[in-house]
Amino acid sequence: MMLDVVIVIAYFAMMIMCGVVAMRRLKSTSDYLLADRNLPFWVFFPCLSAVILGGGSTFGSASQSYQFGLSGAWITFMFGLGVVFVGLFFAGRIAKLDVFTLSELLERRYGHGSGYVSAMVSTIYTVLIAVVQIIALGTILKELLGWSLNAGILAGGMVTVIYTMIGGMIAITITDFLQFVLMSIGVVLLLIFGIDAVGGVQAVTEAVPPDFLTLTNISGQRLLGLFLSLFLGIMIGQDIWQRILTARNQRVAKVGSIFAGLYSVGWGAAMGISGLLAYILLPGLEAPQSALPALVIKVLPAGLSGIVLAALMSALMSTVSATVLASATLVTNDILKPLLKLSEADEFNVSRILTAVTGVVVILLSIYVGDVFVALDTAYSYLSGCLFVPIVAALFWPRAIWQGAITSMIISAVAVTASLAIYGPSSTVPIVSGIGSSAVVMILVSLLFKRMPAAKS
C-alpha cells in the first residue's frame, strides 16, 4: 500500500512539473487558451480522448455497470458516439472559426448580447463537469489512503488546478498526452488481472445474471435521457470545442474527433466489463461509485495498483483541467473582455486569475455535492436543454434571429431549473422540457419576427 501511495504522489508531482515547463512556453492568450491552434493528429487525437473520458464516462459507467450490467456503459457510448458525430458533421466547420468559445460564435451570429447569456449557461455546465471529476478523484484517494471523501477531493482538486493555472492549454496538452498513454495501459492491465481473478471470460458470463450481459437492461426513458443530455450535450460542450480549436487544420479536427469518439466507445466497453468484475468480486458495496478503485485494489498487486490508480486519475484530471480552463475562458473572453475592453496582456492575466478562482469554486462545490450523478445530470440538463437548439440553428439555419436565440435560452433555462427542482436531476423531464421549449420558442420567434440585420464580426 505504501508503494501505491508513493507512486500516486510522484504522479501528482509530475503533473505540476508539466505546468511549470509549459509556463515557460506561454507567449500569448492564444497559447494559454488554445495551445496556439497548432496540434497535429498524433497529439490532438489522444488529447481529445483524454478530455472526453472523465468521471462520468469512467466512474459513472463502471458504477452503473456494477448495478445493471453492460448496459451501464451507455453513458460512455453516448459520449463517444456524440464525438464521432461531431467529427463527421461539426469539427471541420468549428476548426475554421477564429473564435475561442461557442458563446463567441453565438455573439457573432446573433449579436445583441446572446454571447453573454450563452456564456453564463456554459459556465454552469463546465463548472459542474469539473465537479464530477473532482468527486471521482476524491473517491480514488479515499479508497487508496483511507481518507475522508472531502480530504481526497481537496488534495486531487488542488493538484489539478495548480498545473492548469500555471501552464494553461499547453500544460493540459502535455499532461493529456501523458495521461492518455497511462490510462490506456492501465485499463488493459485492469481487465487482464480482473478477468484472471474471476477465473476467465466463461466464469464471468456464468457468475452474473443473464440480463447483465445485454445492452437493454436499462429503461427506455433513461436511454432517451442519456441521448438527449450526453449525446447532444457533448457536441456543444465548451471543453470539447476548446480542444477541437487546438487542431492544426480542419482535417486534423475532423479525423481526430472521429478516432477519439471511437476510442471512447471502446473505453465504455472496458468500463462495462470492469463493472461486471466488481459485481462478482466485490458484492454488496455500500457505495457503487467506489466499484472501480475498489476493484483495482482488489485484483492488482502493490505497485501495479498504484500505477493503474494513477491511470484512472489521469482520466479525471485531464477533464478537470479542460473544464476549469473552459470556465475561465468563457468568463474572460465572453463576459469580461467585451465589458471591460481588456487588452491582450490584461486578458492573459485575467484568464490565469480566473482559472485559479474557478478551481477553488469547483473544489468547494465538489465537497458540497459529493455525488457524481447529481452533478453530471444537472450539467447536461443545462447544456443540452438551453444551448443545443440556438447553436445548431446558428450553424445550419439562416432564418434564425437573435430574438429567437436569446428568448429560447432564457425560457429553456427557466424550464430546466423548475424541472430540476420538481423532478430532480435523475429525471428526463428537465432535459426534455429544456430542449422542447427551446426549439418551440426559437422556431416561433424566428418565423414571426422580421429578421434583424446580422451582427458585425
Side-chain angles (χ1 to χ4, degrees), residues 9 61 90-91 109 135 157 163 179-180 196 252 266 268 270 293 385 394 420:
I9 292 174
S61 279
F90 287 83
R109 171 64 174 79
I135 292 172
Y163 80 70
Q179 288 163 344
F180 173 83
D196 181 69
V252 169
L420 285 171

Side-chain angles (χ1 to χ4, degrees), residues 13-100:
M14 182 178 70
M15 293 297 101
I16 294 176
M17 183 58 64
C18 287
V20 174
V21 171
M23 179 175 62
R24 299 177 181 177
R25 298 180 56 188
L26 294 175
K27 297 178 181 178
S28 67
T29 303
S30 181
D31 286 343
Y32 189 76
L33 300 181
L34 296 177
D36 202 29
R37 307 176 190 263
N38 196 37
L39 298 188
F41 172 82
W42 66 273
V43 177
F44 173 78
F45 152 59
C47 288
L48 179 57
S49 300
V51 172
I52 300 166
L53 300 175
S57 52
T58 301
F59 284 74
S61 279
S63 170
Q64 291 288 285
S65 296
Y66 179 85
Q67 300 172 78
F68 307 108
L70 292 178
S71 60
W74 272 113
I75 293 174
T76 315
F77 291 160
M78 288 298 182
F79 282 133
L81 294 173
V83 175
V84 169
F85 195 88
V86 167
L88 291 172
F89 300 104
F90 287 83
R93 186 184 292 261
I94 294 170
K96 69 180 181 181
L97 300 174
D98 184 23
V99 297
F100 286 116

Side-chain angles (χ1 to χ4, degrees), residues 34 51 55 71 93 113 137 153 170 174 199 256 265 381 393 399 412 447 451:
L34 296 177
V51 172
S71 60
R93 186 184 292 261
L137 265 177
I153 286 172
I170 291 179
I174 296 171
V265 171
S381 292
R399 294 194 63 179
S412 59
L447 293 179
R451 176 155 186 169

Side-chain angles (χ1 to χ4, degrees), residues 62-292:
S63 170
Q64 291 288 285
S65 296
Y66 179 85
Q67 300 172 78
F68 307 108
L70 292 178
S71 60
W74 272 113
I75 293 174
T76 315
F77 291 160
M78 288 298 182
F79 282 133
L81 294 173
V83 175
V84 169
F85 195 88
V86 167
L88 291 172
F89 300 104
F90 287 83
R93 186 184 292 261
I94 294 170
K96 69 180 181 181
L97 300 174
D98 184 23
V99 297
F100 286 116
T101 68
L102 57 85
S103 300
E104 188 177 354
L105 164 67
L106 291 184
E107 185 62 32
R108 289 188 181 189
R109 171 64 174 79
Y110 298 119
H112 301 278
S114 56
Y116 295 128
V117 180
S118 172
M120 287 186 283
V121 174
S122 292
T123 300
I124 293 173
Y125 155 76
T126 52
V127 165
L128 287 173
I129 291 299
V131 167
V132 172
Q133 320 312 317
I134 292 181
I135 292 172
L137 265 177
T139 302
I140 290 180
L141 294 174
K142 174 186 175 184
E143 292 295 324
L144 177 64
L145 304 177
W147 293 354
S148 68
L149 178 61
N150 289 347
I153 286 172
L154 186 62
M158 287 299 295
V159 170
T160 311
V161 170
I162 288 171
Y163 80 70
T164 304
M165 179 193 68
I166 293 174
M169 184 59 84
I170 291 179
I172 294 174
T173 298
I174 296 171
T175 55
D176 279 0
F177 186 84
L178 295 173
Q179 288 163 344
F180 173 83
V181 174
L182 187 59
M183 61 198 264
S184 298
I185 295 172
V187 74
V188 171
L189 290 174
L190 177 59
L191 292 180
I192 291 173
F193 278 84
I195 292 173
D196 181 69
V198 173
V201 175
Q202 184 66 30
V204 173
T205 60
E206 293 173 352
V208 298
D211 55 4
F212 269 44
L213 300 175
T214 73
L215 293 177
T216 57
N217 191 29
I218 183 174
S219 70
Q221 182 181 20
R222 178 59 176 164
L223 191 59
L224 174 63
L226 292 176
F227 173 80
L228 293 175
S229 58
L230 307 186
F231 180 87
L232 299 184
I234 201 164
M235 289 195 287
I236 57 170
Q238 171 62 25
D239 49 339
I240 302 299
W241 279 51
Q242 194 156 346
R243 175 52 75 187
I244 290 174
L245 291 170
T246 65
R248 176 170 290 174
N249 53 48
Q250 294 179 51
R251 177 171 175 76
V252 169
K254 182 174 183 176
V255 177
S257 297
I258 293 171
F259 272 77
L262 293 175
Y263 178 90
S264 300
V265 171
W267 182 272
M271 291 302 102
I273 296 170
S274 297
L276 295 183
L277 297 175
Y279 174 85
I280 297 168
L281 296 172
L282 300 163
L285 279 179
E286 184 176 338
Q289 72 179 17
S290 299
L292 195 58

